[in-house]
Amino acid sequence: SGTVTLVSGGAISQDEAASVVTAGTLTGSAATGVVLDGANQVANLGDFEPGSGAFRLTNARNLNLSGDITADGQTVELLVTGAISQNAATSVITASTLTGSATGSAVLDGANQITDLAAFNANGFTLNDAGGLTVTGNVNGGAGGVSLVTSGNLDLTSSVSSTGTVNLEATG
């Protein structure tokens, strides 16, 4: 599959019952937010900017973050049936809040710029953050463990749990 680019001067939304985005790579931008709630079949999420609104992607297969998700002051929500991976050399998530779930593991090991980590469930969860991070929602890594690494302060206002190993590192 090729690249699909979505661009809107307003919001981008999807009728979850009627449409599916199928793409090797999905990129795009919107002025006021992106909500893609169908059973999408996106292999790679490239550069995407949701403007002044949140970014939400529901995906029915493994998802690789291959570009930047630039959502300054906004929420990024990833809901994936499968695993989430991130190309640390080419992908950074910039957001006020990150939330989501994966039925497989979620390995977000780029130089991410996230202020708040809200609820996230996966079978193994890794997040690297290049600034301070506050855990504001319950994070559950299942049997796969949890690793939160930040170059700033790490504040826990909600639980971080796993039946595997939990690694919390803060250098701030």
Side-chain angles (χ1 to χ4, degrees), residues 95-107:
S96 176
T97 302
L98 173 67
T99 187
S101 64
T103 58
S105 63
V107 179

Side-chain angles (χ1 to χ4, degrees), residues 77-129:
E77 184 174 12
L78 303 172
L79 304 167
V80 176
T81 302
I84 302 171
S85 60
Q86 182 177 35
N87 184 331
T90 62
S91 176
V92 172
I93 300 169
T94 303
S96 176
T97 302
L98 173 67
T99 187
S101 64
T103 58
S105 63
V107 179
L108 304 173
D109 56 358
N112 299 301
Q113 301 277 330
I114 297 161
T115 305
D116 296 325
L117 176 59
F120 211 109
N121 292 299
N123 187 16
F125 181 74
T126 298
L127 176 64
N128 288 349
D129 187 69

Side-chain angles (χ1 to χ4, degrees), residues 58-166:
T58 300
N59 206 50
R61 61 166 292 167
N62 292 343
L63 179 67
N64 177 55
L65 306 182
S66 59
D68 295 336
I69 303 173
T70 306
D72 290 322
Q74 303 301 322
T75 297
V76 170
E77 184 174 12
L78 303 172
L79 304 167
V80 176
T81 302
I84 302 171
S85 60
Q86 182 177 35
N87 184 331
T90 62
S91 176
V92 172
I93 300 169
T94 303
S96 176
T97 302
L98 173 67
T99 187
S101 64
T103 58
S105 63
V107 179
L108 304 173
D109 56 358
N112 299 301
Q113 301 277 330
I114 297 161
T115 305
D116 296 325
L117 176 59
F120 211 109
N121 292 299
N123 187 16
F125 181 74
T126 298
L127 176 64
N128 288 349
D129 187 69
L133 182 68
T134 300
V135 177
T136 60
N138 296 335
V139 176
N140 186 335
V146 174
S147 177
L148 301 178
V149 177
T150 181
S151 60
N153 293 330
L154 178 60
D155 295 318
L156 303 176
T157 61
S158 291
S159 71
V160 175
S161 63
S162 173
T163 56
T165 301
V166 173

Side-chain angles (χ1 to χ4, degrees), residues 8-83:
S8 173
I12 296 173
S13 63
Q14 178 183 35
D15 181 344
E16 63 185 275
S19 65
V20 172
V21 176
T22 302
T25 301
L26 176 65
T27 65
S29 64
T32 58
V34 176
V35 177
L36 299 172
D37 277 340
N40 297 303
Q41 296 286 326
V42 176
N44 296 286
L45 182 60
D47 292 342
F48 223 114
E49 294 184 31
S52 64
F55 177 88
R56 182 169 68 217
L57 174 64
T58 300
N59 206 50
R61 61 166 292 167
N62 292 343
L63 179 67
N64 177 55
L65 306 182
S66 59
D68 295 336
I69 303 173
T70 306
D72 290 322
Q74 303 301 322
T75 297
V76 170
E77 184 174 12
L78 303 172
L79 304 167
V80 176
T81 302

